[in-house]
Amino acid sequence: MTGAPATPFKFPPQFFAFLVALRDVGAHPWRMAFPPGFLDELRSRLTLSEIVGRKVVLKRKSGAEYLGLCPFHNEKTPSFTVNDRKAFFHCFGCGEHGDAVGFVMKTENLSFPEAVEKLAREVGLAVPRATPAERERAERVATLHDVVEQAARLFQKQLRLPVGRQGLDYLRGRGLDDATIDDFRLGFAPDARDGLTGVLQREGVPLDKLLEAGLAIQPDDGRPAYDRFRGRVMFPIADRRGRIIAFGGRVMGPGEPKYLNSPETPLFHKGANLYCLDRARLAAAKDGPVIVAEGYMDVIALHGAGFTGAVAPLGTALTEGQLGELWKLADEPYLCFDGDNAGRRAAGRAAERALPLLRDGKSLRFLALPAGEDPDSLIRVRGVDAMRRALSLARPLADVIWDLETDGRAADTPERRASIQRAVERRVAEIADPVVRNYYKSDMKERFASLWRPAVYQAGRRGDRRPDRRFEHDQAPFAAGAAARRASVDLDESRQQRILLGALLERPFLLHILAEELAELPIANAELARLRQGLLDALALAPSGIDPAAAESLAGDVDADPLLEVGLLEAHLERLGLGRIAANARDKARGIFREAQSGGAQSGGGQSGQAQTGPDDWVAQWRRAARHLGRLAIEPSELKQAEQALAEDLSEENLHRLREILDRMRRIPGDSETA
C-alpha cells in the first residue's frame, strides 16, 4: 500500500478512566458489596465542596462550581475544579477526577470501604454490611421498582380509556395539553376496589409486593386487599435518577383527603425527596432558578412556563432533608407558597425550619404572591412575565424572620420595642453557624436602629407630638400581610377584580345594592368580564336581589336567604358555563375579604377582638376596594393628555373625551361613602 503513513491510534481519556474504574473494582471486590441504595443515600447527603474545602482553599467560580490549587500536583495557577451539582471534581492539570468518596481515598490514603465508613459516620448514616440478608433486600427493592413502574404504565393507560375520561377532562380543564400529560406520565386510578391490584396480580405480580410498594391495603379483619388509590388523577413521583418510586393522587369529585400520597416504603421516604427533583437537577446544572411550590399542578405549570427547576414537597412541610437537597441544587432556592393565610403560615414554618441549618452562602428567598393566587393561576391568568416579576421581587430569609416577630405588633412604647427585640434575638440565636449568626445579629441591629430613633415622637407643627408608628402600614384593600404589600403591587389589579366578584358570590343579597358599582367596575380580564356579566344577568332575572322561588320558600325570612341564594346563583352561573370561574373567585374571596374587613374593624378600636361583620360593613368594604381599583384603572397621563388636547384644539371631540374621563373619575365606586 502507498500513501501517507497511518496516524497512530490514540485511546480517548474516557477509556483510561474506565480502566481505572475496573482496576478499583478488581482491587476492592467489596466495592460492589454495598447496596446501591446505600451509596446513593450517602452521596445525596454529602456536599463535595465542603469535603474538598478541608484540604483545598476553594473560591467560587460561578454558581455551584469552585476553583482551587490541585492537591495532587504542584501548581501555581488554579486548575482544580469542584462542582457541587454534578458532585464531581476534576483537575485540568494532572487529570485527577472523581467524587467525594474518591477524593477522601486519594487524599487520606484510605480504601474504598474505609472512605465510605468515614463519610457515613460524618453524616450519621449507618453502614450496612454485605450480608445475604442485605443482598436479598437489594434484590427486593429492585423488584419493587419493577412493580411500581408497571403500576405507572397501567395508570397512564387508564387515563386514555373511557374509565379515565373524568381525569382527562380535569387535566385538560387545568390547561394541560396531551404532550405535557404524557411528559409527566400522568394517569388515572379507576374508582374500583381492585382496578389495579386485580390487573397486576393477573400479570403475575404477587400481592405481597403490591402491599410492600404501597399500592394496596390489607384490612385487619381479613377481608380481601384493595387498591390504595381509587377515583384519582395520578401523579408519579420519581427518585433522583428518574425512576418511579411512589404516587400522589388527586380525588375526582367529593372525598377526603383531596390529595393522597404513597406511604413510606423501601423505595419512598417523603421527607428525603421532592416532586420533580430529577428534572430540577438538570435545570440547576444550567443555572436555572430552583423554585419550591406547594402542589403538583403548580410544579407542572412552572415547568410548562420554562421554570424547569420547580419542585414540591410530598404532603409534608419542608423537611431538613429536603432543604439539604435544595441546597445541593442552588445556594438560594426560591420558596413560592400560595398567597393566602395557609401559604404564609407554610412560609413561616419553612423559615423556622431553615434557620438552624443556615451556613455561609446557603439561604432561601421567598416569593410573595398576591393573596389567593398560586403559581398555576398566576401563570394562566397573567402569563410568564408575572412569574418572572414575582421572582425578581423575592425577599431574603432575613426579611421573613424579621416579619415573623414584628409584623402587626405595636412598637409605640419602650416596653413593646424591648419585647420585639427580645423575640428577634431569640430567633437569631437558633442559627447554629457562628459566622452566619453574627451577621444576622448585625443585620437585625441595623434594622432596629433605622426604625427606632431615640425620639419616639416625630416633630410636626409646633406643639404637635405624634407617635412614630413604624409597624403600621397603609394597606391597600385586601392586601395580605407585609410580604404581599411590598412585593406584589404590580400583580394586584386582576387579583382584586377576582376578589370583588367573589365577594358578591359569597353574599349575593348585596348584588342589588352594588349593581351600579359592579357595572362600572373596570375589568380588562376577559374571563372575569364574563363572570361580571353573568352576575348582572342573574340580577336582571331577580331585580329584588332574590329569586322568586327562593322568596316563596323563605316565607319572608330575610335573615335566612344567603345560603339559598348562593346555591341559586351558582346554578345560574353553571348553566352559563361559568361554574369553574365562579368557584375560583369565591374561594379567593372567602378568607381574604373577611380578613381584610375584620382587620379594618379591629383597627377601629374594638375591645372584643372579634369584628362584627354586617351588611353595611360588607358594602362599605366592597366600595372602598372598588374605589381603589377604579383609581388604578385611570392613568394620570390619560387625564393630562386629554386636557392638553383640549387646550390645543377646542373641538367637540376633545371636549367629549375629557368629560368622559372626568365622569369616570366621579363614578369611581365608594367615593361618596368613604369621603
Side-chain angles (χ1 to χ4, degrees), residues 125-384:
L125 190 63
V127 180
R129 299 303 172 186
T131 64
E134 285 296 334
R135 286 194 291 272
E136 182 182 348
R137 180 184 178 279
E139 293 172 1
R140 188 170 75 250
V141 166
T143 302
L144 290 181
H145 275 298
D146 293 337
V147 171
V148 175
E149 175 60 32
Q150 284 182 262
R153 289 198 296 266
L154 182 59
F155 288 141
Q156 284 183 274
K157 182 179 179 181
Q158 297 289 341
L159 183 68
R160 301 293 181 174
L161 296 177
V163 71
R165 183 71 189 187
Q166 184 183 12
L168 188 60
D169 287 345
Y170 166 77
L171 293 173
R172 287 174 173 168
R174 294 294 298 268
L176 302 189
D177 56 24
D178 288 346
T180 301
I181 292 171
D182 292 340
D183 184 29
F184 286 87
R185 302 191 63 183
L186 306 183
F188 186 75
D191 192 7
R193 183 180 179 86
D194 61 350
L196 175 73
T197 55
V199 173
L200 292 187
Q201 282 185 281
R202 287 192 293 272
E203 293 181 0
V205 178
L207 177 60
D208 64 324
K209 296 300 179 185
L210 294 170
L211 295 169
E212 192 174 12
L215 296 170
I217 297 174
Q218 178 68 67
D220 294 334
D221 57 9
R223 287 179 297 149
Y226 59 89
D227 290 357
R228 179 179 297 275
F229 299 101
R230 293 172 293 173
R232 293 176 181 270
V233 167
M234 300 300 292
F235 298 84
I237 300 167
D239 63 9
R240 300 177 191 87
R241 296 162 61 181
R243 299 173 299 181
I244 304 302
I245 57 174
F247 298 93
R250 189 202 189 278
V251 70
M252 294 289 95
E256 292 295 336
K258 183 177 179 180
Y259 281 93
L260 176 67
N261 285 331
S262 293
E264 294 283 315
T265 72
L267 298 180
F268 179 52
H269 305 289
K270 293 181 183 179
N273 201 1
L274 293 156
Y275 182 60
C276 285
L277 176 60
D278 57 318
R279 296 167 180 258
R281 293 176 70 187
L282 299 176
K286 300 176 182 178
D287 290 328
V290 175
I291 306 170
V292 183
E294 286 194 86
Y296 301 125
M297 290 301 301
D298 291 329
V299 171
I300 293 173
L302 286 165
H303 279 252
F307 302 102
T308 55
V311 296
L314 300 167
T316 64
L318 209 57
T319 66
E320 294 180 5
Q322 289 167 337
L323 285 169
E325 288 292 341
L326 291 169
W327 280 327
K328 287 187 178 72
L329 302 180
D331 288 343
E332 294 186 354
Y334 295 88
L335 300 193
C336 180
F337 296 105
D338 295 353
D340 54 17
N341 287 333
R344 291 195 296 278
R345 287 194 296 270
R349 288 194 299 269
E352 293 170 347
R353 179 64 59 87
L355 205 57
L357 308 176
L358 298 180
R359 59 185 189 274
D360 55 297
K362 303 294 183 182
S363 188
L364 300 171
R365 298 189 73 82
F366 291 77
L367 271 67
L369 296 184
E373 295 283 12
D374 55 39
D376 182 22
S377 65
L378 185 69
I379 291 169
R380 281 190 291 110
V381 174
R382 310 189 194 188
V384 178

Side-chain angles (χ1 to χ4, degrees), residues 238 283 305 506 579 641:
E506 185 78 358
Q641 289 171 3

